[in-house]
Amino acid sequence: MPTKFESRDQSVEESLFSTVRFMVPQFQRPYSWSEDQTNDFWDDLIGEGTGFFIGQFIFNYEHFDTDGFVDIIDGQQRVTTIMLLCAALRDTAKAIGDLESSEIIQERSISASKDFDGIKYRFVASPSIKDFFENTIQGGNVDIALDLVQNDEQKNIVCNYLIFKRRIEEIIKPLQRDEKISQIINLFSKIRNTRVISTKIFNEDDAFEIFETVNARGVELSVADLLKNYIFRKVKQEGGEIDDLQIRWTDIKENLEEAEIEITKFLRYYWLSRYSFITEKKLFREIKKKEFHSYRELLGDLQKNSEILGSLRTMNYEWDEIKNGEKIRLTLDGIKVMNVTQCYVLLLTLMRNIADLPENTWRVFQAIERFNFLYHAISKQPANRIEKLYQGYSKTIEDVLALESDETAKKEEIQHIYDNLIQELKNIVPSFEVFLDGFRSLTYKKRELANYCLLKMEEAQETEEKIINSSRVNIEHILPKNPGKDWGLLKKDIRKYVDKMGNLTLLGKKNNSRVGNKSIQEKIKILEDSTEIKITKELIERIKEGGFKWSELQINERTDKMAENSYNIVWKL
């Protein structure tokens, strides 16, 4: 803990609206206050008398004499929100023609000084939003903010400013102009008189430690926030500069955002793939226990692995540069459709080391795709057991690759690991009865998964390797969702079964609009003359052999037949 600190009970005006300029350091998390938090802050402000207590601010004064800035160690979310509220009051005053009050609010809370270099603001936002915050919120150009929003952090800034603007306008709307001005001044006074515990510290190492200690005991910060702070602190202790670390951390976030993966999930999967099985709750503590040769290198490895994991979801990879790359890409397409993530622990290990692995590694990807379909996507079996299995094989592969033996021996050992993995997956595939029950519940409502199923079934019919262009086909309901009078059925009568897999097939997009809700005889005639898709041709023959009868009974029978084919042929491990 810090060897020297000062704490005082102060008003926001005494703490923030002084001659001191405050800055959000690089290791702080993004601005993330939600609509609920912003509304709660407003309600608390309005509900009190002359001021309310909003907790503790922790400021680091170590570089104040040299740089002229004080770092905000704890409280940056609240300080940012206070600045948004002040900006909303400033702009509301300006909107009703009270330029004097608008300028006073700007000068007393937002601007620190003005010289030949331009305006200097009291609060310098985090590096990721600094320019945006200055150009829109602090500069009084909020009307252009929505056009400039590029990420969630900027979106939160604009949304919360607009919440305050709306709440202020609700209060002053029924008032006369003089009363409106008085109310705006009163609200600004409430902000200035809000109470805080303002704590000063004077050492950057203490700043990192107190940040971690204060926040690790709360619920606001994630593992990612704490780890970022921890790595930055360790790099500084190693004698390195931290200016470039923020760029690397931002790159990690962008890699994962594009792939729609939470950063905390990535950090856990990274750890599982390299070290040991651990829950998210214990992850940060486990990371702190391990000594790394270089924490800068650790951040670099996290950056590299975020690119790899991101590519497993976005397919943004040079697939032609690796053996059987296209086959791997196709399996990853299927895995993404199923939205099963536990397997990425092992897939991360495989892709990280792909150059050193056997050429038939793609078959492991294929086995995982098929297992995911049988076990997770259709049968809905528990995931925790499988995550531990993947972690164990990931660590085993890493251990073999670390051995000091020739490459041939390593690949032979890894091939043995592959065989064991696939056999273990086979052993825990659910029974056909469990799978059948799940397949019966799969419907057109899960359109992406239903489309994937039909495409894979069609591929299985081909004697040669042939991939259907999914962009050229649509899912067709044989019994239409809105049947014409020739069907003799009402929409409400078929609701339970019209979307079942047994009623679905594939049809070229150009023919899709031709069949519509025509009678079964007309529809089959059109399909017969226009399609080369094998599962559709097979269905046509089935319907013709059945005397053109197509009702709930026939749909259920085909659903079960499709389930049997899926389990025993298409996705068989």
Coordinates of all heavy atoms in Angstrom, one line a residue, residues 436-499:
L436 N -32.0 -37.6 -31.6 CA -33.3 -37.5 -32.3 C -34.3 -36.6 -31.7 O -34.9 -35.8 -32.4 CB -34.0 -38.9 -32.4 CG -35.3 -39.0 -33.1 CD1 -35.3 -38.6 -34.5 CD2 -35.9 -40.4 -32.9
D437 N -34.3 -36.6 -30.4 CA -35.2 -35.7 -29.6 C -34.8 -34.2 -29.9 O -35.6 -33.4 -30.1 CB -35.1 -36.0 -28.1 CG -36.1 -35.2 -27.3 OD1 -37.3 -35.3 -27.6 OD2 -35.7 -34.5 -26.4
G438 N -33.5 -34.0 -30.0 CA -33.0 -32.6 -30.2 C -33.3 -32.2 -31.7 O -33.6 -31.1 -32.0
F439 N -33.1 -33.1 -32.6 CA -33.2 -32.8 -34.0 C -34.7 -32.5 -34.3 O -35.0 -31.7 -35.2 CB -32.8 -34.0 -34.9 CG -32.6 -33.7 -36.3 CD1 -31.4 -33.2 -36.8 CD2 -33.6 -33.9 -37.2 CE1 -31.2 -32.8 -38.1 CE2 -33.5 -33.5 -38.6 CZ -32.3 -33.0 -39.0
R440 N -35.6 -33.2 -33.6 CA -37.0 -32.9 -33.9 C -37.4 -31.5 -33.5 O -38.4 -31.0 -34.0 CB -37.9 -33.9 -33.1 CG -37.9 -35.3 -33.7 CD -38.6 -36.3 -32.7 NE -38.8 -37.6 -33.3 CZ -39.2 -38.7 -32.7 NH1 -39.4 -38.7 -31.3 NH2 -39.4 -39.9 -33.3
S441 N -36.7 -30.9 -32.6 CA -37.0 -29.6 -32.1 C -36.3 -28.5 -33.0 O -36.5 -27.3 -32.8 CB -36.5 -29.4 -30.6 OG -35.1 -29.5 -30.5
L442 N -35.4 -28.9 -33.9 CA -34.7 -27.9 -34.8 C -35.7 -27.5 -35.8 O -36.3 -28.4 -36.5 CB -33.5 -28.6 -35.4 CG -32.7 -27.7 -36.4 CD1 -32.2 -26.4 -35.8 CD2 -31.6 -28.5 -37.1
T443 N -35.9 -26.2 -36.0 CA -36.8 -25.7 -37.0 C -36.2 -24.6 -37.8 O -35.1 -24.1 -37.5 CB -38.1 -25.2 -36.3 OG1 -37.8 -24.0 -35.5 CG2 -38.7 -26.3 -35.3
Y444 N -37.0 -24.1 -38.7 CA -36.7 -23.0 -39.6 C -36.4 -21.7 -38.8 O -35.7 -20.8 -39.2 CB -37.8 -22.7 -40.6 CG -37.6 -21.6 -41.5 CD1 -36.7 -21.7 -42.6 CD2 -38.2 -20.4 -41.4 CE1 -36.5 -20.7 -43.5 CE2 -38.0 -19.3 -42.3 CZ -37.2 -19.5 -43.3 OH -37.0 -18.4 -44.2
K445 N -36.9 -21.6 -37.6 CA -36.7 -20.5 -36.7 C -35.2 -20.3 -36.4 O -34.8 -19.1 -36.2 CB -37.5 -20.6 -35.4 CG -39.0 -20.5 -35.7 CD -39.8 -20.7 -34.4 CE -41.3 -20.7 -34.7 NZ -42.1 -20.9 -33.5
K446 N -34.5 -21.4 -36.4 CA -33.0 -21.3 -36.3 C -32.5 -21.4 -37.7 O -31.9 -22.4 -38.1 CB -32.4 -22.4 -35.4 CG -32.8 -22.2 -33.9 CD -32.1 -23.2 -33.0 CE -32.4 -22.9 -31.6 NZ -31.7 -23.9 -30.7
R447 N -32.7 -20.4 -38.5 CA -32.5 -20.4 -39.9 C -31.1 -20.7 -40.3 O -30.9 -21.5 -41.2 CB -33.0 -19.1 -40.5 CG -33.0 -19.1 -42.0 CD -33.7 -17.9 -42.6 NE -33.7 -17.9 -44.0 CZ -34.3 -16.9 -44.7 NH1 -35.0 -16.0 -44.1 NH2 -34.3 -17.0 -46.1
E448 N -30.1 -20.1 -39.7 CA -28.7 -20.3 -40.1 C -28.3 -21.7 -39.8 O -27.6 -22.3 -40.7 CB -27.8 -19.3 -39.3 CG -26.4 -19.2 -39.9 CD -25.6 -18.1 -39.2 OE1 -26.0 -17.6 -38.2 OE2 -24.5 -17.9 -39.7
L449 N -28.7 -22.3 -38.7 CA -28.4 -23.7 -38.4 C -29.1 -24.6 -39.3 O -28.5 -25.6 -39.8 CB -28.7 -24.0 -36.9 CG -28.3 -25.4 -36.5 CD1 -26.8 -25.6 -36.6 CD2 -28.7 -25.6 -35.0
A450 N -30.4 -24.4 -39.6 CA -31.1 -25.2 -40.5 C -30.5 -25.2 -41.9 O -30.4 -26.2 -42.6 CB -32.6 -24.7 -40.6
N451 N -30.1 -24.0 -42.4 CA -29.5 -23.9 -43.7 C -28.2 -24.7 -43.7 O -27.9 -25.4 -44.7 CB -29.2 -22.4 -44.0 CG -28.8 -22.2 -45.4 OD1 -29.5 -22.5 -46.4 ND2 -27.6 -21.6 -45.6
Y452 N -27.4 -24.6 -42.7 CA -26.1 -25.3 -42.6 C -26.4 -26.8 -42.7 O -25.7 -27.6 -43.4 CB -25.4 -25.0 -41.2 CG -24.4 -26.0 -40.8 CD1 -23.1 -26.0 -41.4 CD2 -24.7 -26.9 -39.8 CE1 -22.1 -26.9 -41.0 CE2 -23.7 -27.8 -39.4 CZ -22.4 -27.8 -40.0 OH -21.5 -28.7 -39.6
C453 N -27.4 -27.3 -42.0 CA -27.8 -28.7 -42.0 C -28.1 -29.2 -43.4 O -27.6 -30.2 -43.9 CB -29.0 -29.0 -41.1 SG -28.7 -28.9 -39.4
L454 N -28.9 -28.4 -44.1 CA -29.3 -28.8 -45.4 C -28.2 -28.8 -46.4 O -28.0 -29.7 -47.3 CB -30.4 -27.9 -45.9 CG -31.8 -28.0 -45.2 CD1 -32.7 -26.9 -45.6 CD2 -32.5 -29.3 -45.4
L455 N -27.3 -27.8 -46.3 CA -26.1 -27.8 -47.1 C -25.2 -28.9 -46.9 O -24.7 -29.5 -47.9 CB -25.4 -26.4 -46.9 CG -26.0 -25.2 -47.5 CD1 -25.3 -23.9 -46.9 CD2 -26.0 -25.2 -49.0
K456 N -25.0 -29.3 -45.6 CA -24.1 -30.5 -45.3 C -24.7 -31.8 -45.8 O -24.0 -32.7 -46.3 CB -23.8 -30.5 -43.8 CG -23.0 -29.3 -43.3 CD -21.7 -29.2 -43.9 CE -20.7 -30.2 -43.4 NZ -19.3 -30.0 -43.8
M457 N -26.0 -31.9 -45.7 CA -26.7 -33.1 -46.2 C -26.5 -33.2 -47.7 O -26.3 -34.3 -48.3 CB -28.2 -33.0 -45.8 CG -28.4 -33.2 -44.4 SD -30.2 -33.1 -44.0 CE -30.1 -33.0 -42.2
E458 N -26.6 -32.1 -48.4 CA -26.4 -32.1 -49.9 C -25.0 -32.4 -50.2 O -24.8 -33.2 -51.1 CB -26.8 -30.7 -50.4 CG -26.5 -30.5 -51.9 CD -27.4 -31.4 -52.8 OE1 -28.4 -32.0 -52.3 OE2 -27.1 -31.6 -54.0
E459 N -24.0 -31.9 -49.5 CA -22.6 -32.2 -49.8 C -22.4 -33.7 -49.6 O -21.6 -34.3 -50.3 CB -21.7 -31.4 -48.8 CG -21.6 -29.9 -49.2 CD -20.8 -29.1 -48.1 OE1 -20.0 -29.8 -47.4 OE2 -21.0 -27.9 -48.0
A460 N -23.0 -34.3 -48.6 CA -22.8 -35.7 -48.3 C -23.4 -36.6 -49.5 O -23.0 -37.8 -49.6 CB -23.5 -36.1 -47.0
Q461 N -24.3 -36.1 -50.3 CA -24.9 -36.8 -51.4 C -23.9 -36.8 -52.6 O -24.1 -37.7 -53.5 CB -26.2 -36.1 -51.8 CG -27.3 -36.2 -50.8 CD -28.1 -37.4 -50.9 OE1 -27.7 -38.4 -51.4 NE2 -29.4 -37.3 -50.5
E462 N -23.0 -35.9 -52.6 CA -22.1 -35.8 -53.8 C -21.0 -36.9 -53.7 O -20.4 -37.2 -52.7 CB -21.4 -34.4 -53.8 CG -22.4 -33.2 -53.9 CD -23.0 -33.2 -55.3 OE1 -22.4 -33.8 -56.3 OE2 -24.0 -32.5 -55.5
T463 N -20.7 -37.4 -54.9 CA -19.7 -38.5 -55.0 C -18.3 -37.8 -55.0 O -17.3 -38.4 -54.7 CB -19.9 -39.3 -56.2 OG1 -20.0 -38.5 -57.4 CG2 -21.2 -40.1 -56.1
E464 N -18.2 -36.6 -55.5 CA -17.0 -35.9 -55.5 C -17.0 -34.7 -54.5 O -18.1 -34.4 -54.0 CB -16.8 -35.2 -56.9 CG -16.8 -36.2 -58.1 CD -16.7 -35.5 -59.4 OE1 -16.6 -34.2 -59.4 OE2 -16.7 -36.1 -60.4
E465 N -15.9 -34.2 -54.2 CA -15.8 -33.0 -53.3 C -16.4 -31.8 -54.0 O -15.9 -31.4 -55.0 CB -14.4 -32.7 -52.8 CG -13.9 -33.6 -51.7 CD -12.7 -33.0 -51.0 OE1 -12.5 -31.8 -51.1 OE2 -12.0 -33.8 -50.4
K466 N -17.6 -31.4 -53.5 CA -18.2 -30.3 -54.2 C -18.9 -29.5 -53.1 O -19.7 -30.0 -52.3 CB -19.3 -30.9 -55.2 CG -20.0 -29.8 -56.0 CD -21.0 -30.4 -56.9 CE -21.9 -29.4 -57.6 NZ -22.9 -30.0 -58.5
I467 N -18.7 -28.2 -53.2 CA -19.2 -27.3 -52.2 C -20.3 -26.4 -52.9 O -20.0 -25.8 -53.9 CB -18.1 -26.3 -51.6 CG1 -17.0 -27.2 -51.0 CG2 -18.8 -25.5 -50.5 CD1 -17.4 -28.1 -49.9
I468 N -21.5 -26.5 -52.3 CA -22.6 -25.7 -52.9 C -22.4 -24.2 -52.5 O -22.0 -23.9 -51.4 CB -24.0 -26.1 -52.3 CG1 -24.2 -27.6 -52.8 CG2 -25.1 -25.2 -52.8 CD1 -25.5 -28.1 -52.2
N469 N -22.6 -23.3 -53.4 CA -22.6 -21.9 -53.2 C -23.8 -21.5 -52.4 O -24.9 -21.4 -53.0 CB -22.4 -21.1 -54.5 CG -22.2 -19.6 -54.2 OD1 -22.5 -19.1 -53.2 ND2 -21.6 -19.0 -55.2
S470 N -23.7 -21.3 -51.1 CA -24.8 -21.1 -50.2 C -25.5 -19.8 -50.6 O -26.7 -19.6 -50.3 CB -24.4 -21.0 -48.8 OG -23.4 -20.0 -48.5
S471 N -24.8 -18.8 -51.3 CA -25.5 -17.5 -51.6 C -26.4 -17.7 -52.8 O -27.2 -16.8 -53.1 CB -24.4 -16.5 -52.0 OG -23.7 -16.9 -53.1
R472 N -26.4 -18.9 -53.4 CA -27.3 -19.1 -54.6 C -28.5 -19.9 -54.3 O -29.3 -20.3 -55.2 CB -26.5 -19.7 -55.7 CG -25.4 -18.8 -56.3 CD -24.7 -19.4 -57.5 NE -23.7 -18.5 -58.0 CZ -22.8 -18.9 -59.0 NH1 -23.0 -20.0 -59.6 NH2 -21.9 -18.0 -59.4
V473 N -28.7 -20.3 -53.0 CA -29.8 -21.2 -52.7 C -30.6 -20.6 -51.5 O -30.0 -19.8 -50.7 CB -29.4 -22.6 -52.3 CG1 -28.8 -23.3 -53.5 CG2 -28.4 -22.6 -51.2
N474 N -31.8 -20.9 -51.4 CA -32.7 -20.5 -50.3 C -33.3 -21.8 -49.7 O -33.4 -22.8 -50.3 CB -33.8 -19.6 -50.8 CG -33.4 -18.2 -50.9 OD1 -32.4 -17.8 -50.3 ND2 -34.1 -17.4 -51.6
I475 N -33.8 -21.6 -48.5 CA -34.6 -22.7 -47.9 C -36.0 -22.6 -48.4 O -36.6 -21.5 -48.4 CB -34.6 -22.6 -46.3 CG1 -33.1 -22.8 -45.8 CG2 -35.5 -23.6 -45.7 CD1 -33.0 -22.7 -44.3
E476 N -36.5 -23.7 -48.8 CA -37.9 -23.8 -49.3 C -38.8 -24.6 -48.4 O -38.4 -25.7 -48.1 CB -37.9 -24.3 -50.8 CG -39.3 -24.6 -51.3 CD -40.1 -23.3 -51.6 OE1 -39.5 -22.2 -51.6 OE2 -41.3 -23.4 -51.6
H477 N -39.9 -24.1 -48.0 CA -41.0 -24.9 -47.3 C -41.8 -25.6 -48.4 O -42.4 -25.0 -49.3 CB -41.9 -24.0 -46.5 CG -41.3 -23.4 -45.3 ND1 -40.3 -22.4 -45.3 CD2 -41.5 -23.7 -44.0 CE1 -40.0 -22.1 -44.1 NE2 -40.6 -22.8 -43.3
I478 N -41.9 -27.0 -48.3 CA -42.7 -27.7 -49.2 C -44.2 -27.4 -48.9 O -44.9 -26.9 -49.8 CB -42.5 -29.2 -49.1 CG1 -41.0 -29.5 -49.5 CG2 -43.4 -30.0 -50.0 CD1 -40.6 -29.1 -50.9
L479 N -44.6 -27.6 -47.7 CA -45.9 -27.1 -47.3 C -45.7 -25.6 -46.9 O -44.9 -25.3 -46.0 CB -46.4 -27.9 -46.0 CG -47.6 -27.3 -45.3 CD1 -48.8 -27.2 -46.2 CD2 -47.9 -28.1 -44.0
P480 N -46.3 -24.7 -47.7 CA -46.0 -23.3 -47.4 C -46.5 -22.8 -46.0 O -47.4 -23.4 -45.4 CB -46.9 -22.6 -48.5 CG -47.2 -23.6 -49.5 CD -47.3 -24.9 -48.7
K481 N -45.8 -21.8 -45.5 CA -46.1 -21.3 -44.2 C -47.5 -20.6 -44.3 O -48.2 -20.5 -43.3 CB -45.1 -20.2 -43.8 CG -43.7 -20.8 -43.4 CD -42.7 -19.8 -43.2 CE -42.9 -19.0 -41.9 NZ -42.6 -19.8 -40.7
N482 N -47.9 -20.1 -45.5 CA -49.2 -19.5 -45.6 C -49.9 -20.3 -46.8 O -49.9 -19.8 -47.9 CB -49.1 -18.0 -45.9 CG -50.4 -17.3 -45.9 OD1 -51.4 -17.8 -45.4 ND2 -50.5 -16.2 -46.6
P483 N -50.4 -21.5 -46.6 CA -50.9 -22.3 -47.7 C -52.1 -21.8 -48.4 O -53.0 -21.1 -47.8 CB -51.2 -23.6 -47.0 CG -51.5 -23.3 -45.6 CD -50.6 -22.1 -45.3
G484 N -52.1 -22.0 -49.8 CA -53.2 -21.6 -50.6 C -54.4 -22.5 -50.3 O -54.3 -23.5 -49.6
K485 N -55.5 -22.1 -50.9 CA -56.8 -22.9 -50.6 C -56.7 -24.3 -51.1 O -57.4 -25.2 -50.6 CB -58.0 -22.2 -51.3 CG -57.9 -22.0 -52.8 CD -59.1 -21.3 -53.3 CE -59.0 -21.2 -54.9 NZ -60.2 -20.4 -55.4
D486 N -55.8 -24.6 -52.1 CA -55.7 -26.0 -52.7 C -55.2 -26.9 -51.6 O -55.3 -28.2 -51.7 CB -54.8 -26.0 -53.9 CG -55.4 -25.3 -55.1 OD1 -56.6 -25.3 -55.2 OD2 -54.6 -24.7 -55.9
W487 N -54.5 -26.4 -50.6 CA -53.9 -27.3 -49.6 C -55.0 -27.7 -48.6 O -54.8 -28.7 -47.8 CB -52.8 -26.5 -48.8 CG -51.5 -26.5 -49.6 CD1 -51.1 -25.5 -50.5 CD2 -50.4 -27.4 -49.6 NE1 -49.9 -25.8 -51.0 CE2 -49.4 -27.0 -50.5 CE3 -50.2 -28.6 -48.9 CZ2 -48.3 -27.7 -50.7 CZ3 -49.0 -29.3 -49.1 CH2 -48.1 -28.8 -50.0
G488 N -56.1 -26.9 -48.4 CA -57.1 -27.3 -47.5 C -56.7 -27.1 -46.1 O -57.3 -27.8 -45.2
L489 N -55.7 -26.3 -45.8 CA -55.2 -26.1 -44.4 C -55.2 -24.6 -44.1 O -54.9 -23.7 -44.9 CB -53.8 -26.7 -44.3 CG -53.6 -28.2 -44.5 CD1 -52.2 -28.5 -44.7 CD2 -54.2 -28.9 -43.3
L490 N -55.4 -24.3 -42.8 CA -55.3 -23.0 -42.3 C -53.9 -22.8 -41.6 O -53.3 -23.7 -41.1 CB -56.4 -22.7 -41.3 CG -57.8 -22.8 -41.8 CD1 -58.8 -22.5 -40.6 CD2 -58.1 -21.7 -42.9
K491 N -53.5 -21.5 -41.6 CA -52.2 -21.2 -41.1 C -52.0 -21.7 -39.6 O -51.0 -22.2 -39.2 CB -52.0 -19.7 -41.2 CG -50.5 -19.2 -40.9 CD -50.4 -17.7 -41.3 CE -49.0 -17.3 -41.0 NZ -48.8 -15.8 -41.4
K492 N -53.1 -21.5 -38.9 CA -53.1 -21.9 -37.4 C -53.0 -23.4 -37.3 O -52.5 -23.9 -36.2 CB -54.3 -21.3 -36.7 CG -55.6 -21.9 -37.2 CD -56.8 -21.4 -36.4 CE -58.1 -22.1 -36.8 NZ -59.2 -21.6 -36.0
D493 N -53.5 -24.1 -38.2 CA -53.5 -25.6 -38.1 C -52.1 -26.2 -38.3 O -51.8 -27.3 -37.8 CB -54.4 -26.2 -39.2 CG -55.8 -25.8 -39.0 OD1 -56.2 -25.5 -37.8 OD2 -56.6 -25.7 -40.0
I494 N -51.2 -25.5 -39.0 CA -49.9 -26.1 -39.4 C -48.7 -25.5 -38.6 O -47.6 -25.8 -38.8 CB -49.6 -25.9 -40.9 CG1 -49.5 -24.4 -41.2 CG2 -50.7 -26.6 -41.7 CD1 -49.1 -24.1 -42.6
R495 N -49.1 -24.6 -37.6 CA -48.1 -23.9 -36.9 C -47.1 -24.8 -36.2 O -45.9 -24.5 -36.1 CB -48.7 -22.9 -35.9 CG -47.8 -21.9 -35.3 CD -48.6 -20.9 -34.5 NE -49.5 -20.1 -35.3 CZ -50.7 -19.8 -35.1 NH1 -51.3 -20.2 -34.0 NH2 -51.5 -19.0 -35.9
K496 N -47.5 -25.9 -35.7 CA -46.7 -26.8 -34.9 C -45.6 -27.5 -35.7 O -44.6 -28.0 -35.2 CB -47.5 -27.8 -34.2 CG -48.3 -27.3 -33.0 CD -49.1 -28.4 -32.3 CE -49.9 -27.8 -31.1 NZ -50.7 -28.9 -30.4
Y497 N -45.9 -27.7 -37.0 CA -45.0 -28.6 -37.8 C -44.5 -28.0 -39.1 O -43.6 -28.6 -39.8 CB -45.7 -29.9 -38.1 CG -47.0 -29.9 -38.8 CD1 -47.0 -29.9 -40.2 CD2 -48.2 -29.8 -38.2 CE1 -48.2 -29.8 -40.9 CE2 -49.4 -29.7 -38.8 CZ -49.4 -29.7 -40.2 OH -50.6 -29.7 -40.9
V498 N -45.0 -26.8 -39.5 CA -44.6 -26.3 -40.9 C -43.1 -26.0 -40.9 O -42.5 -26.0 -42.0 CB -45.5 -25.1 -41.2 CG1 -45.1 -23.9 -40.3 CG2 -45.3 -24.8 -42.7
D499 N -42.5 -25.6 -39.8 CA -41.1 -25.2 -39.8 C -40.1 -26.3 -39.5 O -38.9 -26.1 -39.4 CB -40.9 -24.0 -38.8 CG -41.4 -22.7 -39.4 OD1 -41.4 -22.5 -40.6 OD2 -41.8 -21.9 -38.5

